Amino acid sequence: MSEITLKSFLGQKKTFLSTSTSFSFTDLLDRINGYEPLLLDPEDKIIIEKLVNEIKSTSSFPIWWSEQESTYISKISNKEKLINYIIFRYKFRNYPSQGIVTKFPLYVLLEPVSACNLRCPFCFQVDPDFTRKPYAGIMDMTLFKRVIDECEENGTGAITLASRGEPTLHPHFSKMLEYLTDKFFEVKINTNGTRLTDEICHSIFKNKVDDVILSIDTEDKELFESLRKNAVFEDVLQNVMNLYNIRKKFYPDSNTAIRISGVYSSPTQDNKKFAEFWGQYADEITITALEERWDTYNNKTHPDFLKPCQMIWERFYVWWDGVCNPCDVDYKSKLSPGTLSKDNSIKDIWHSKTHNLLRLNHKSAMRSGCLPCDRCGVS
């Protein structure tokens, strides 16, 4: 691991405990140098040329570049993969803010399970209507493989296993990780950490998952158990320690990053103590301000919402039953542009009239006419 640094921020920002690299813009130019641009399609060729020209003229990384890109690229040896990764990250960072629709979703989030074993007060799992049919269910492996195959074939760059439920509840979760291996640039798992068995921990590292995000908010047992209802602090701590120690003992060269990600919802939370305590077992610590996600449809409307939400260009959700959605704030799928079927693919739904109309409404400052975009507590 590289040197750990601690940065503290207040308000709407985050608290980080993160790793840093010494990768520089000159290193990037050296890595790109000599690549044959004729191998790229015109759109991608322009992106690489623009990137090179910007770096040369400013003697720095472009504005959109972050530590995440540098860290990932420092691990890539294959030049073609490096170029494709840069193109993916450029589109992911820039296209949503410009309202550009990609040929296929760059980032897809799959929901292995819609249910959760916890009832956190700031989550939509506390909505009693959501925790039963038609919302409750487990993704069939045939559907899972179909989604992954289509994403791989069409150039998706990042996959996350999680959304409305706890993914490790799926009986074949390790098989899902195995099927994902070496197919995408980034594979991420979001979990509450309560079901991290030895099998799942080993599967995470064996199958080269890039990021394990653990939803933990505090180092204080009483506060933790009031925020993560039904979880036992000591059990989660043991699971996180086990995850960390399995990586250390059995996979010392693993590039899998362990991140603790919390919600700041109580004035008694101490960000510094939180970071220092959990930083013993993680590579990165984040804390974000509480968002209105647990009763979306009854939020107060905001007629002054004019700015388009970038998520409808940035990502694509597939629920356990094949229902597709532009975001998970809309956890009851009021905005769903379609459901996967024999005659309906992800690409079809991504470019459907329904999805394009939603984008048009947002671009035209008419999101106040879209439920629940007109009362969204996230953006």
Side-chain angles (χ1 to χ4, degrees), residues 185-349:
F185 293 121
E186 300 170 8
V187 173
K188 182 190 298 183
I189 299 167
N190 291 340
T191 175
N192 58 36
T194 60
R195 298 298 182 99
L196 287 177
T197 62
D198 280 5
E199 178 199 338
I200 289 176
C201 290
H202 280 283
S203 183
I204 285 168
F205 300 120
K206 254 193 307 192
N207 295 299
K208 298 180 268 188
V209 171
D210 294 277
D211 295 284
V212 183
I213 316 301
L214 294 143
S215 298
I216 299 170
D217 318 286
T218 176
E219 78 297 341
D220 181 88
K221 171 182 167 61
E222 184 177 352
L223 181 58
F224 172 85
E225 292 179 357
S226 71
L227 296 175
R228 300 289 168 178
K229 288 190 181 295
N230 298 339
V232 177
F233 179 81
E234 290 84 359
D235 292 347
V236 172
L237 173 59
Q238 183 58 49
N239 288 348
V240 175
M241 290 171 62
N242 192 42
L243 178 73
Y244 181 83
N245 289 329
I246 284 175
R247 184 183 67 177
K248 184 177 180 180
K249 181 177 180 179
F250 297 101
Y251 309 91
D253 299 321
S254 172
N255 288 322
T256 300
I258 300 171
R259 185 195 309 168
I260 306 291
S261 180
V263 174
Y264 188 79
S265 59
S266 169
T268 62
Q269 286 173 262
D270 187 320
N271 289 350
K272 186 176 180 182
K273 287 182 179 178
F274 167 68
E276 288 174 346
F277 180 86
W278 289 105
Q280 301 172 83
Y281 318 110
D283 308 301
E284 184 178 0
I285 306 291
T286 69
I287 188 86
T288 60
L290 186 66
E291 296 172 338
E292 295 178 55
R293 300 175 70 90
W294 61 96
D295 193 16
T296 305
Y297 308 100
N298 291 315
N299 285 349
K300 182 181 177 181
T301 59
H302 298 283
D304 56 337
F305 270 9
L306 301 177
K307 186 178 178 181
C309 175
Q310 295 185 20
M311 281 169 56
I312 54 181
W313 287 272
E314 177 192 277
R315 59 185 64 192
F316 189 81
Y317 289 80
V318 181
W319 302 153
W320 68 274
D321 53 358
V323 172
C324 300
N325 223 54
C327 78
D328 63 353
V329 179
D330 174 36
Y331 60 92
K332 290 183 178 176
S333 313
K334 305 293 185 184
L335 300 170
S336 176
T339 301
L340 294 177
S341 66
K342 268 206 252 181
D343 305 314
N344 219 7
S345 66
I346 290 175
K347 183 179 281 188
D348 294 331
I349 297 171

Side-chain angles (χ1 to χ4, degrees), residues 10-11 13 37 44 56 58 61 68 90 106 128 157 159 161 177 179 189 191 270 296 300-301 314 316 337 364:
L10 299 176
K13 296 187 179 178
D44 295 344
K56 287 181 176 178
T58 62
F61 287 118
Q68 182 176 348
Y90 176 90
L106 297 174
I159 295 284
L161 293 188
L177 298 185
Y179 197 76
I189 299 167
T191 175
D270 187 320
T296 305
K300 182 181 177 181
T301 59
E314 177 192 277
F316 189 81
S364 305

Side-chain angles (χ1 to χ4, degrees), residues 21-22 114 126 133 184 221 232 268 297 309 317 322 347 368 378:
T21 67
S22 57
S114 62
V126 299
K133 292 183 178 181
F184 306 96
K221 171 182 167 61
V232 177
T268 62
Y297 308 100
C309 175
Y317 289 80
K347 183 179 281 188
S368 60
V378 174

Side-chain angles (χ1 to χ4, degrees), residues 21-25 27-28 31 61 65 69-71 73-74:
T21 67
S22 57
F23 190 84
S24 69
F25 69 89
D27 293 328
L28 179 58
R31 298 285 302 279
F61 287 118
W65 195 273
E69 283 79 27
S70 293
T71 299
I73 282 179
S74 67

